[in-house]
Structures are given as structure tokens and as C-alpha cells.
Coordinates of all heavy atoms in Angstrom, one line a residue:
L1102 N 92.6 111.4 146.8 CA 91.2 110.9 146.9 C 90.8 110.5 145.5 O 91.0 111.2 144.5 CB 90.3 111.9 147.4 CG 90.2 112.0 148.9 CD1 91.4 112.8 149.5 CD2 88.9 112.6 149.4
V1103 N 90.2 109.3 145.4 CA 89.5 108.9 144.1 C 88.1 108.5 144.5 O 87.7 108.3 145.6 CB 90.2 107.7 143.5 CG1 91.6 108.0 143.1 CG2 90.2 106.4 144.4
D1104 N 87.2 108.5 143.5 CA 85.8 108.1 143.6 C 85.8 106.6 143.6 O 86.2 106.0 142.6 CB 85.0 108.7 142.5 CG 83.5 108.5 142.7 OD1 83.1 107.4 143.1 OD2 82.7 109.5 142.4
A1105 N 85.3 106.0 144.7 CA 85.3 104.5 144.8 C 84.5 103.8 143.6 O 84.7 102.7 143.4 CB 84.8 104.1 146.1
R1106 N 83.6 104.6 143.0 CA 82.8 104.0 141.9 C 83.6 103.9 140.6 O 83.3 103.1 139.8 CB 81.5 104.8 141.7 CG 80.6 104.8 142.9 CD 79.5 105.9 142.8 NE 80.1 107.2 142.8 CZ 79.4 108.3 142.7 NH1 78.1 108.3 142.6 NH2 80.0 109.5 142.8
I1107 N 84.6 104.8 140.5 CA 85.4 104.9 139.3 C 86.9 105.2 139.7 O 87.5 106.2 139.3 CB 84.9 106.0 138.3 CG1 84.8 107.3 139.0 CG2 83.6 105.5 137.7 CD1 84.6 108.5 138.0
P1108 N 87.6 104.3 140.4 CA 88.9 104.6 140.9 C 89.9 104.8 139.7 O 90.8 105.7 139.9 CB 89.3 103.3 141.7 CG 88.0 102.8 142.1 CD 87.1 103.0 141.0
Y1109 N 89.8 104.1 138.6 CA 90.7 104.3 137.5 C 90.5 105.7 136.8 O 91.4 106.4 136.6 CB 90.5 103.2 136.5 CG 91.3 103.4 135.2 CD1 92.7 103.3 135.2 CD2 90.6 103.7 134.0 CE1 93.4 103.4 134.0 CE2 91.4 103.9 132.8 CZ 92.7 103.8 132.8 OH 93.4 104.0 131.7
S1110 N 89.2 106.0 136.5 CA 89.0 107.2 135.8 C 89.1 108.5 136.7 O 89.5 109.6 136.2 CB 87.5 107.2 135.2 OG 87.4 106.3 134.2
S1111 N 88.9 108.3 138.0 CA 89.1 109.5 138.9 C 90.5 109.6 139.4 O 90.8 110.6 140.2 CB 88.1 109.4 140.0 OG 88.3 108.2 140.8
H1112 N 91.4 108.8 139.0 CA 92.8 108.9 139.3 C 93.5 109.8 138.3 O 93.3 109.6 137.1 CB 93.5 107.5 139.3 CG 95.0 107.6 139.2 ND1 95.8 108.2 140.2 CD2 95.9 107.2 138.3 CE1 97.0 108.1 139.9 NE2 97.1 107.5 138.7
N1113 N 94.2 110.8 138.7 CA 94.9 111.7 137.8 C 96.3 111.1 137.6 O 97.1 111.1 138.5 CB 95.0 113.1 138.5 CG 95.6 114.1 137.5 OD1 96.3 113.7 136.6 ND2 95.4 115.4 137.8
P1114 N 96.6 110.7 136.4 CA 97.9 110.1 136.1 C 99.1 111.0 136.4 O 100.2 110.6 136.6 CB 97.8 109.7 134.7 CG 96.7 110.4 134.1 CD 95.7 110.7 135.2
D1115 N 98.9 112.3 136.4 CA 99.9 113.3 136.7 C 100.5 113.0 138.1 O 101.7 113.3 138.4 CB 99.4 114.7 136.6 CG 99.1 115.2 135.2 OD1 99.7 114.7 134.3 OD2 98.3 116.1 135.0
I1116 N 99.6 112.5 139.0 CA 100.1 112.4 140.4 C 101.1 111.2 140.5 O 102.0 111.3 141.4 CB 98.8 112.1 141.3 CG1 98.0 113.4 141.4 CG2 99.2 111.7 142.7 CD1 96.7 113.2 142.1
D1117 N 101.1 110.3 139.6 CA 102.1 109.2 139.6 C 103.5 109.8 139.4 O 104.4 109.4 140.0 CB 101.8 108.2 138.5 CG 100.5 107.4 138.8 OD1 100.2 107.2 140.0 OD2 99.9 106.9 137.9
E1118 N 103.6 110.8 138.5 CA 104.8 111.4 138.2 C 105.2 112.4 139.3 O 106.3 112.4 139.8 CB 104.8 112.2 136.9 CG 106.1 112.9 136.5 CD 107.3 112.0 136.3 OE1 107.0 110.8 135.9 OE2 108.4 112.4 136.5
L1119 N 104.2 113.2 139.7 CA 104.4 114.2 140.8 C 104.8 113.5 142.1 O 105.6 114.1 142.9 CB 103.2 115.1 141.0 CG 102.8 116.0 139.9 CD1 101.4 116.6 140.1 CD2 103.9 117.2 139.8
G1120 N 104.2 112.4 142.4 CA 104.4 111.7 143.7 C 105.5 110.7 143.7 O 105.6 109.9 144.7
R1121 N 106.3 110.6 142.7 CA 107.4 109.7 142.6 C 108.4 109.9 143.8 O 108.7 111.0 144.1 CB 108.2 109.8 141.3 CG 109.2 108.8 141.1 CD 109.9 108.9 139.8 NE 109.0 108.7 138.6 CZ 109.4 108.8 137.4 NH1 110.6 109.2 137.1 NH2 108.5 108.5 136.4
N1122 N 108.8 108.8 144.4 CA 109.7 108.9 145.6 C 109.0 109.4 146.8 O 109.7 109.7 147.8 CB 110.9 109.7 145.3 CG 111.7 109.1 144.1 OD1 111.8 107.9 144.0 ND2 112.3 109.9 143.3
K1123 N 107.7 109.6 146.8 CA 107.0 110.0 148.0 C 106.1 108.8 148.5 O 105.7 108.0 147.7 CB 106.1 111.2 147.7 CG 106.8 112.4 147.3 CD 107.6 113.1 148.4 CE 108.3 114.3 147.9 NZ 109.1 115.0 149.0
A1124 N 105.8 108.7 149.8 CA 104.9 107.8 150.2 C 103.5 108.1 149.6 O 103.2 109.3 149.4 CB 104.8 107.8 151.8
R1125 N 102.7 107.0 149.4 CA 101.4 107.2 148.7 C 100.3 106.6 149.5 O 100.4 105.5 150.0 CB 101.4 106.6 147.3 CG 102.4 107.2 146.3 CD 101.9 108.5 145.7 NE 100.7 108.2 145.0 CZ 100.6 107.7 143.7 NH1 101.7 107.4 143.1 NH2 99.5 107.5 143.1
L1126 N 99.2 107.3 149.6 CA 97.9 106.8 150.2 C 96.8 107.2 149.3 O 96.6 108.3 148.9 CB 97.7 107.4 151.6 CG 96.4 107.2 152.3 CD1 96.1 105.7 152.4 CD2 96.3 107.9 153.6
V1127 N 96.0 106.2 148.9 CA 94.8 106.4 148.1 C 93.6 106.2 149.0 O 93.5 105.2 149.7 CB 94.7 105.4 146.9 CG1 93.3 105.5 146.3 CG2 95.7 105.8 145.9
L1128 N 92.7 107.2 149.0 CA 91.5 107.1 149.8 C 90.3 106.9 148.8 O 90.1 107.7 147.9 CB 91.2 108.4 150.5 CG 92.3 108.8 151.6 CD1 91.9 110.1 152.3 CD2 92.5 107.7 152.6
L1129 N 89.7 105.7 148.9 CA 88.5 105.4 148.1 C 87.3 106.1 148.7 O 86.5 105.5 149.5 CB 88.3 103.9 148.1 CG 89.4 103.1 147.3 CD1 89.5 101.7 147.7 CD2 89.1 103.2 145.8
N1130 N 87.1 107.3 148.3 CA 86.0 108.1 148.9 C 84.7 107.7 148.3 O 84.6 107.2 147.2 CB 86.3 109.6 148.7 CG 85.5 110.5 149.6 OD1 85.1 110.0 150.7 ND2 85.2 111.7 149.2
K1131 N 83.6 108.0 149.0 CA 82.3 107.7 148.5 C 82.1 106.2 148.5 O 81.3 105.6 147.7 CB 81.9 108.3 147.2 CG 82.1 109.9 147.2 CD 81.7 110.5 145.9 CE 82.0 112.0 146.0 NZ 81.6 112.8 144.8
A1132 N 82.9 105.5 149.3 CA 82.9 104.0 149.3 C 81.5 103.5 149.7 O 81.1 102.3 149.3 CB 83.9 103.4 150.3
D1133 N 80.7 104.3 150.4 CA 79.3 103.9 150.8 C 78.4 103.8 149.6 O 77.4 103.1 149.6 CB 78.8 104.9 151.8 CG 78.7 106.3 151.2 OD1 79.8 106.8 150.8 OD2 77.7 106.9 151.3
L1134 N 78.8 104.5 148.5 CA 78.0 104.4 147.2 C 78.4 103.3 146.3 O 77.8 103.0 145.3 CB 78.1 105.8 146.5 CG 77.6 107.0 147.3 CD1 77.8 108.3 146.4 CD2 76.1 106.9 147.6
A1135 N 79.6 102.7 146.6 CA 80.2 101.8 145.7 C 80.0 100.3 146.2 O 79.7 100.1 147.4 CB 81.7 102.0 145.6
D1136 N 80.1 99.4 145.3 CA 79.9 98.0 145.5 C 81.0 97.5 146.5 O 82.2 97.6 146.2 CB 80.0 97.3 144.1 CG 79.7 95.8 144.2 OD1 80.1 95.1 145.2 OD2 79.1 95.3 143.2
E1137 N 80.6 97.0 147.6 CA 81.6 96.6 148.6 C 82.6 95.5 148.2 O 83.8 95.6 148.5 CB 80.9 96.1 149.9 CG 81.8 95.7 151.0 CD 82.8 96.8 151.5 OE1 82.6 98.0 151.2 OE2 83.9 96.4 152.0

């Protein structure tokens, strides 16, 4: 889950390494507060 208002800053770069070779799904949460 990332905050849709700040997807870059709310992404934890550790997860890229931890999730290597795993399927990935990002949920842009709080999308109702973000610019569509």
C-alpha cells in the first residue's frame, strides 16, 4: 500500500529487494484524496 498523494515517498525501497522474484501489486490507497 502506498499513499496515492505521494506514491514515490510512501514506497519503501526495501520492498523492491525483499519482493524480488515475487508477484507485485501496488494499492494506491486514499485515492479519493488524490488528484484523479
Side-chain angles (χ1 to χ4, degrees):
L1102 274 81
V1103 299
D1104 188 319
R1106 298 166 296 178
I1107 54 165
Y1109 173 71
S1110 292
S1111 59
H1112 163 62
N1113 185 338
D1115 289 336
I1116 292 174
D1117 291 332
E1118 179 64 27
L1119 290 169
R1121 185 179 294 178
N1122 301 321
K1123 300 290 182 180
R1125 296 278 301 278
L1126 168 59
V1127 169
L1128 300 180
L1129 290 157
N1130 198 27
K1131 306 181 184 181
D1133 59 308
L1134 300 176
D1136 186 321
E1137 178 57 20

